[in-house]
Amino acid sequence: MNLEVKKASGIYITITDGKRYIDLISGIGVSNMGHRNHRVANAIRKQVGKYWHTMVYGEHIQSPQVKLAQKLTSLLPPSLNSCYFVNSGSEAIEGALKLAKRFTGKTKIVAMKNAYHGSTHGALSLMNNNYFTEAFRPLLPNVHFAEFNNEENLNLIDEQTACVVLEIVQAEAGYLAPNPDFLENVRERCNQTNTLLIVDEIQTAMGRTGSLFAFEQYNLVPDIICLAKAFGGGMPLGAFVANKNTMQCLTDNPVLGHITTFGGHPVSCAAAFENLKVLTTSGLIKEVSKKEELFRNLLQHPEIVEITGKGLMLGVQLKSKEKLQKTVDYCLQKGLMIDWFLFAEDKLRIAPPLIITLNEIKKSCKIILEGLER
Ligand code: PMP
């Protein structure tokens, strides 16, 4: 895009020449409360005035981490009661994979085709796309790929499997919503085979799909949930959350099973705590389905094949990649930031901050439709 950012506020990003854009992608699912929410900004200022980094994660007791862990676990099912804070989504996935291997004593991993879980070696091993992985081989061995929403592939999950990793709404595949039966059957198959179910909610959580966590809309509870992106309220933070009994095994044999210097940085945790408080008391999550409906109603055009996804995580399937490029360019020209996906080059990505108003949605859709006309 090549835009030099000068300022960002609410749903708007202003560049150095003064032009202002509506941000319809939230920095890829990060700015759910908009840019620089004032309460989150105040929480950051307050923590900056007390202390920043004092010691590697876990060595000192730091109240922003403790408060965030208490808040987060109070919002999750009782079985998800132990948090490990990290720096990013990829690191949350790394931690979850290590935890599953250590806890089960098994090494086989089942991931989904067209998933994206991050760019570090472990996370990249969960990607079945050769173009993105070939240059970095060898990756983790014994990773098997099932098709998302295809129950026939579930026999890949067997007694040798340590974990299944999946996103509730597949993000980089182009925002693909799950078939509820599929998720239920994965959960069932994991139970039968003593396999841990790792749910990557790095992009789907924090209200994005119409509930605080997307899994809440389906009949399953993960064994490990991974968070990042919007979780930090705009600051770098990730987490993997599991049952205390499971998490405990990272404390011995070897001691310090996962180590991170900056994981759970107190300034990020203070921001995340305030962000969670604002988000869960704002009423914004309840408005997501109404906003989704408005996008779906307005975005009707002969060039649009279908709209996939859930909540404010929508993939607009166009007839061609060329049309998409032209539409994205037109939107940028008119002050609207939209984007595409890693594995769906003919789809527009729509994931605005949840604070977007109905009028702003109407304005954005008008620009997209004009772009499609060209
Ligand atoms: N999982 C999902 C679903 C993601 O969308 C991303 C980032 N796009 C990641 C994991 C990796 O997160 P990070 O970039 O913070 O490492």
Side-chain angles (χ1 to χ4, degrees):
M1 281 185 203
N2 246 347
L3 306 173
E4 187 178 348
V5 177
K6 186 175 165 196
K7 201 172 170 180
S9 181
I11 68 156
Y12 295 98
I13 295 178
T14 308
I15 63 168
T16 41
D17 72 2
K19 184 169 173 176
R20 194 172 82 147
Y21 295 83
I22 292 180
D23 177 4
L24 221 57
I25 42 185
S26 310
I28 315 291
V30 171
S31 321
N32 285 17
M33 295 301 303
H35 297 276
R36 290 191 310 113
N37 174 278
H38 74 279
R39 280 182 51 189
V40 176
N42 281 340
I44 291 171
R45 277 187 212 104
K46 215 167 143 192
Q47 184 55 40
V48 164
K50 291 182 187 163
Y51 59 87
W52 307 0
H53 177 83
T54 60
M55 188 53 181
V56 296
Y57 182 50
E59 291 287 324
H60 289 168
I61 298 167
Q62 300 189 340
S63 67
Q65 295 168 349
V66 177
K67 277 171 68 182
L68 178 59
Q70 280 167 344
K71 179 92 195 152
L72 180 59
T73 53
S74 77
L75 296 163
L76 282 164
S79 59
L80 293 168
N81 57 6
S82 181
C83 308
Y84 194 115
F85 295 128
V86 289
N87 298 276
S88 66
S90 299
E91 196 190 354
I93 293 287
E94 297 295 331
L97 292 177
K98 285 169 68 186
L99 179 58
K101 285 166 79 176
R102 172 69 183 82
F103 181 73
T104 62
K106 304 189 268 187
T107 59
K108 179 175 168 183
I109 295 169
V110 174
M112 299 294 139
K113 289 181 186 168
N114 287 328
Y116 181 82
H117 297 291
S119 203
T120 51
H121 270 90
L124 201 59
S125 307
L126 307 178
M127 195 193 273
N128 73 314
N129 186 303
N130 261 344
Y131 174 76
F132 288 103
T133 55
E134 201 155 281
F136 308 110
R137 299 241 165 88
L139 295 170
L140 279 183
N142 213 1
V143 179
H144 302 256
F145 294 97
E147 208 160 316
F148 190 64
N149 279 341
N150 182 350
E151 314 213 359
E152 282 171 21
N153 283 187
L154 295 185
N155 54 9
L156 276 177
I157 307 166
D158 58 20
E159 297 287 346
Q160 279 72 50
T161 313
C163 57
V164 174
V165 190
L166 57 77
E167 301 154 89
I168 298 288
V169 175
Q170 275 206 314
E172 294 310 320
Y175 289 164
L176 298 182
N179 173 345
D181 287 347
F182 174 73
L183 292 183
E184 220 169 285
N185 287 328
V186 171
R187 179 66 274 181
E188 179 71 27
R189 187 86 192 130
C190 286
N191 292 349
Q192 286 163 359
T193 55
N194 292 319
T195 299
L196 295 188
L197 177 56
I198 300 176
V199 171
D200 175 343
E201 288 243 25
I202 288 163
Q203 215 171 129
T204 50
M206 301 300 119
R208 173 71 43 204
T209 69
S211 51
L212 185 60
F213 306 100
F215 80 82
E216 293 173 295
Q217 296 177 58
Y218 302 91
N219 189 18
L220 87 161
V221 173
D223 295 305
I224 308 176
I225 182 172
C226 295
L227 303 169
K229 288 197 181 264
F231 175 54
M235 295 293 280
L237 185 68
F240 56 103
V241 186
N243 186 262
K244 200 170 173 191
N245 284 336
T246 314
M247 194 70 93
Q248 204 62 27
C249 73
L250 286 183
T251 59
D252 62 58
N253 204 15
V255 65
L256 304 174
H258 190 72
I259 305 177
T260 171
T261 296
F262 283 127
H265 192 284
V267 180
S268 296
C269 285
F273 177 77
E274 193 61 25
N275 184 60
L276 257 181
K277 249 175 49 185
V278 179
L279 176 63
T280 51
T281 53
S282 65
L284 278 172
I285 299 177
K286 276 204 202 104
E287 291 173 12
V288 165
S289 64
K290 187 169 63 187
K291 292 176 181 176
E292 169 185 5
E293 203 179 306
L294 185 58
F295 270 115
R296 285 185 182 273
N297 285 340
L298 294 177
L299 290 178
Q300 300 202 17
H301 190 276
E303 287 294 332
I304 296 176
V305 181
E306 64 167 335
I307 300 179
T308 61
K310 196 162 180 56
L312 287 176
M313 207 174 167
L314 297 172
V316 183
Q317 173 84 56
L318 302 187
K319 282 188 178 159
S320 73
K321 202 169 131 183
E322 292 67 38
K323 195 74 192 174
L324 181 129
Q325 184 60 55
K326 282 190 183 144
T327 309
V328 170
D329 290 346
Y330 179 81
C331 288
L332 277 176
Q333 203 187 316
K334 294 289 172 185
L336 184 69
M337 272 186 201
I338 48 175
D339 200 11
W340 47 81
F341 297 93
L342 271 185
F343 311 133
E345 290 177 327
D346 47 6
K347 263 185 167 179
L348 287 175
R349 180 198 297 267
I350 296 192
L354 309 187
I355 58 168
I356 193 168
T357 63
L358 298 179
N359 270 340
E360 288 161 341
I361 292 175
K362 285 179 193 160
K363 192 172 161 192
S364 304
C365 290
K366 186 166 172 280
I367 298 173
I368 295 171
L369 292 171
E370 280 167 16
L372 290 171
E373 278 301 315
R374 304 216 144 203

